[in-house]
């Protein structure tokens, strides 16, 4: 039996070059070794009020972006969270078991609440419980999470314990963080000390995978570089140039030292011009594929449907066990 990996992504922004590199290094391998589920966390996006037409387009766009990056819908279960209503049902059960005190400790809640003082809603507060429901419904063994989601995964593990203590039933698998092979870590273009993120407020910090080539060029050319002029990999003293070299190496397969050699005596500008071209060429087929997919909404609908059906068949089983364990009466058919 293969282990189950589950990964969700909140529907905000567009996927970035960082995602591209993670994807090409991980997905093919993961899909052979594990039973993989990927979903778009559209419900999680609602903790900030969304413009309905923007959200709708974004859900299609995100789905198409994942496919354009090479996620295979036959080998992986790819679906939209709101298409499987069991997520919100289990969410309620788990919400009733999660102490406020535990949620109060979540640093992401504190950060987000600070950033968005005008809309500190209860959903923002209980967000990690919905995340726990996402994970536990599928009996996931492993969850690839970044630093920012680690605490939420810990809470999910606590919730497994709360359920067992309350109902004396051991239904959920205890999930663990999946530490994948670390592909290249791509940093923000303007602030190379932090990770490139799709939800960055400053869009100069990232290149999206479906970005216009002119914009790509501009963003790479205006990426932060460091004092000095030498093109050398030195993360501590030259984080900007190092990031560009990492990116270059990840996209071309040339080693960092090979690149350093090639750029001896050249300027940052040379590196940027070349790198911009590499990025544009790399993303060209991704964007072409995306353009094809996004025109074909019927096809996307169909894939979403079959993904949701496969996911739901599994989610239903877990939820039925939970309802039974807590004493709810099953509706007779
Ligand atoms: N909160 C995660 C993020 O913003 C997305 C997410 C929602 C998720 N549910 C999940 C990730 C379940 C892993 C497992 O990145």
């Amino acid at each position: 039996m293969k282990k189950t990996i589950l990964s969700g992504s909140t529907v905000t922004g567009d996927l970035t070059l960082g995602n591209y590199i993670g994807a090409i290094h991980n997905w093919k391998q993961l899909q052979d070794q594990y039973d993989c589920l990927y979903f778009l966390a559209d419900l999680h996006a609602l903790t900030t009020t969304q413009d309905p037409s923007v959200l709708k387009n974004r859900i299609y766009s995100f789905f198409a972006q994942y496919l354009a990056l090479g996620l295979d819908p036959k080998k992986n279960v790819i679906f939209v969270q709101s298409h499987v209503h069991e997520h919100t049902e289990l969410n309620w059960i788990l919400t009733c078991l999660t102490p406020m005190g535990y949620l109060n400790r979540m640093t992401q809640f504190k950060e987000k609440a600070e950033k968005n003082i005008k809309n500190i809603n209860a959903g923002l507060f209980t967000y990690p419980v919905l995340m726990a429901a996402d994970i536990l419904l599928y009996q996931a063994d492993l969850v690839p999470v970044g630093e920012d989601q680690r605490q939420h995964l810990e809470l999910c593990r606590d919730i497994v314990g709360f359920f067992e203590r309350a109902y004396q039933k051991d239904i959920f698998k205890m999930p663990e963080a999946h530490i994948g092979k670390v592909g290249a870590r791509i940093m923000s273009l303007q602030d190379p000390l932090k990770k490139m993120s799709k939800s960055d407020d400053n869009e100069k910090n990232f290149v999206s995978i479906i970005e216009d080539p002119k914009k790509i060029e501009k963003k790479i050319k205006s990426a932060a570089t460091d004092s000095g002029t030498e093109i050398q990999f030195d993360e501590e003293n030259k984080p900007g140039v190092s990031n560009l070299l990492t990116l270059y190496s990840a996209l071309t397969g040339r080693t960092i030292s090979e690149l350093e050699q090639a750029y001896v005596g050249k300027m940052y500008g040379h590196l940027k011009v070349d790198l911009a071209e590499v990025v544009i060429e790399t993303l060209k087929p991704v964007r072409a594929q995306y353009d094809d997919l996004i025109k074909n909404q019927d096809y996307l609908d169909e894939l979403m449907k079959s993904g949701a059906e496969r996911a739901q068949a599994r989610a239903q089983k877990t939820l039925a066990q939970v309802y039974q364990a807590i004493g709810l009466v099953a509706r007779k058919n």
Side-chain angles (χ1 to χ4, degrees):
M1 272 280 276
K2 285 182 181 171
K3 288 193 170 180
T4 297
I5 283 202
L6 173 122
S7 176
S9 178
T10 307
V11 186
T12 47
D14 290 313
L15 298 179
T16 70
L17 264 182
N19 299 114
Y20 173 88
I21 287 162
I24 54 174
H25 285 284
N26 280 316
W27 285 349
K28 286 226 161 61
Q29 228 176 325
L30 287 179
Q31 78 194 9
D32 295 331
Q33 280 173 13
Y34 299 97
D35 159 35
C36 300
L37 297 124
Y38 295 93
F39 70 95
L40 306 190
D42 54 346
L43 298 173
H44 277 105
L46 301 181
T47 55
T48 44
T49 308
Q50 302 282 333
D51 175 326
S53 62
V54 172
L55 179 63
K56 191 169 171 183
N57 287 332
R58 185 161 275 158
I59 292 168
Y60 279 112
S61 174
F62 241 63
F63 202 82
Q65 287 179 47
Y66 274 100
L67 299 174
L69 277 190
L71 199 57
D72 182 341
K74 291 212 182 68
K75 295 193 176 154
N76 305 278
V77 181
I78 316 171
F79 65 102
V80 178
Q81 185 184 32
S82 67
H83 290 175
V84 182
H85 57 72
E86 284 77 2
H87 288 244
T88 45
E89 291 181 57
L90 182 60
N91 171 55
W92 174 249
I93 308 295
L94 302 182
T95 301
C96 295
L97 290 167
T98 307
M100 302 269 287
Y102 277 69
L103 292 174
N104 259 327
R105 279 193 234 134
M106 296 294 124
T107 53
Q108 191 172 70
F109 169 69
K110 290 183 213 168
E111 280 165 25
K112 285 194 177 170
E114 237 166 68
K115 244 171 102 180
N116 201 357
I117 302 178
K118 288 207 197 97
N119 187 11
I120 306 178
N121 57 70
L124 195 60
F125 190 61
T126 60
Y127 178 110
V129 184
L130 178 57
M131 195 168 149
D134 298 336
I135 296 167
L136 299 179
L137 267 182
Y138 299 97
Q139 308 288 3
D141 297 284
L142 296 166
V143 184
V145 283
E147 251 344 285
D148 62 326
Q149 299 298 320
R150 247 166 214 279
Q151 199 185 22
H152 293 163
L153 184 62
E154 265 320 302
L155 179 73
C156 176
R157 292 167 56 86
D158 289 334
I159 290 175
V160 172
F162 300 149
F163 189 90
E164 281 176 17
R165 232 165 300 143
Y167 295 110
Q168 311 298 322
K169 283 263 171 30
D170 174 14
I171 290 176
F172 301 120
K173 196 166 268 171
M174 186 64 90
E176 316 235 354
H178 173 70
I179 318 286
K181 264 217 193 101
V182 220
R185 202 170 133 86
I186 306 303
M187 312 304 277
S188 148
L189 293 176
Q190 295 296 321
D191 179 1
L193 296 179
K194 65 177 195 190
K195 224 177 98 178
M196 183 180 282
S197 160
K198 68 180 162 61
S199 41
D200 203 307
D201 293 332
N202 180 0
E203 66 158 62
K204 283 186 172 165
N205 281 336
F206 57 83
V207 170
S208 103
I209 60 162
I210 52 170
E211 194 136 359
D212 175 70
K214 285 242 157 51
K215 267 183 139 176
I216 296 179
E217 192 180 350
K218 225 168 158 184
K219 286 184 177 182
I220 303 273
K221 283 190 180 163
S222 64
T225 34
D226 318 282
S227 57
T229 53
E230 277 169 40
I231 297 175
Q232 263 173 352
F233 188 86
D234 175 352
E235 273 179 317
E236 202 166 309
N237 300 308
K238 288 174 167 268
V241 175
S242 300
N243 188 36
L244 299 181
L245 286 170
T246 303
L247 192 52
Y248 203 140
S249 165
L251 295 179
T252 58
R254 295 171 70 183
T255 64
I256 301 263
S257 59
E258 212 179 305
L259 292 169
E260 283 173 336
Q261 296 255 311
Y263 284 94
V264 168
K266 297 202 175 152
M267 320 252 267
Y268 292 155
H270 292 122
L271 174 67
K272 287 178 170 179
V273 169
D274 294 347
L275 176 59
E277 194 174 318
V278 167
V279 173
I280 290 167
E281 284 307 310
T282 306
L283 293 179
K284 217 180 234 167
V286 175
R287 188 155 171 206
Q289 170 102 46
Y290 172 82
D291 287 342
D292 268 354
L293 286 164
I294 204 67
K295 273 189 259 160
N296 198 345
Q297 258 194 28
D298 290 344
Y299 178 63
L300 295 175
D301 279 328
E302 224 172 86
L303 288 181
M304 283 180 184
K305 178 163 177 256
S306 69
E309 283 169 357
R310 287 163 72 196
Q312 189 164 41
R314 299 167 62 160
Q316 263 170 358
K317 276 195 197 136
T318 307
L319 190 69
Q321 287 175 39
V322 170
Y323 276 12
Q324 191 187 22
I326 65 185
L328 295 174
V329 173
R331 196 180 91 180
K332 302 290 181 277
N333 290 314

